[in-house]
């Protein structure tokens, strides 16, 4: 019905030993990132009003943060 939602997760690294690996998990609505988890930051960051609200909610959940932080190891 004209709405677009996707999740884009990727790892970035610049060396062969993967010691500098960064995991980024983007949540996209209508082609705009509204919330992002970055393993360097270690928590969710909201970029829209909806994203800020959800980032605050997700950052209060230690289990969710632990799952996301562990993704860089997998």
């Amino acid at each position: 019905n004209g709405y677009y939602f996707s999740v884009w997760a990727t790892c970035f690294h610049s060396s062969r030993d993967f010691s500098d690996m960064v995991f980024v998990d983007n949540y996209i609505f209508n082609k705009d990132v509204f919330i992002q988890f970055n393993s360097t930051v270690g928590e969710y960051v909201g970029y829209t009003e909806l994203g800020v609200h959800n980032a605050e909610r997700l950052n209060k959940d230690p289990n969710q943060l632990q799952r996301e932080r562990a993704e860089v190891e997998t």
Side-chain angles (χ1 to χ4, degrees):
N1 292 356
Y3 295 105
Y4 175 82
F5 176 79
S6 66
V7 177
W8 177 73
T10 190
C11 288
F12 298 99
H13 58 88
S14 61
S15 64
R16 291 185 181 264
D17 65 357
F18 305 119
S19 63
D20 61 347
M21 180 92 56
V22 176
F23 174 72
V24 177
D25 199 3
N26 291 302
Y27 295 83
I28 303 160
F29 182 73
N30 284 349
K31 300 182 182 180
D32 289 324
V33 175
F34 70 96
I35 190 169
Q36 180 183 74
F37 178 85
N38 184 317
S39 65
T40 304
V41 177
E43 63 182 24
Y44 289 93
V45 177
Y47 295 104
T48 64
E49 185 177 342
L50 175 65
V52 169
H53 172 74
N54 283 309
E56 290 172 355
R57 181 181 55 81
L58 291 168
N59 287 333
K60 290 179 184 176
D61 184 356
N63 294 325
Q64 180 66 27
L65 288 175
Q66 183 178 359
R67 280 192 297 271
E68 287 284 8
R69 290 172 181 153
E71 285 293 324
V72 75
E73 301 300 323
T74 60

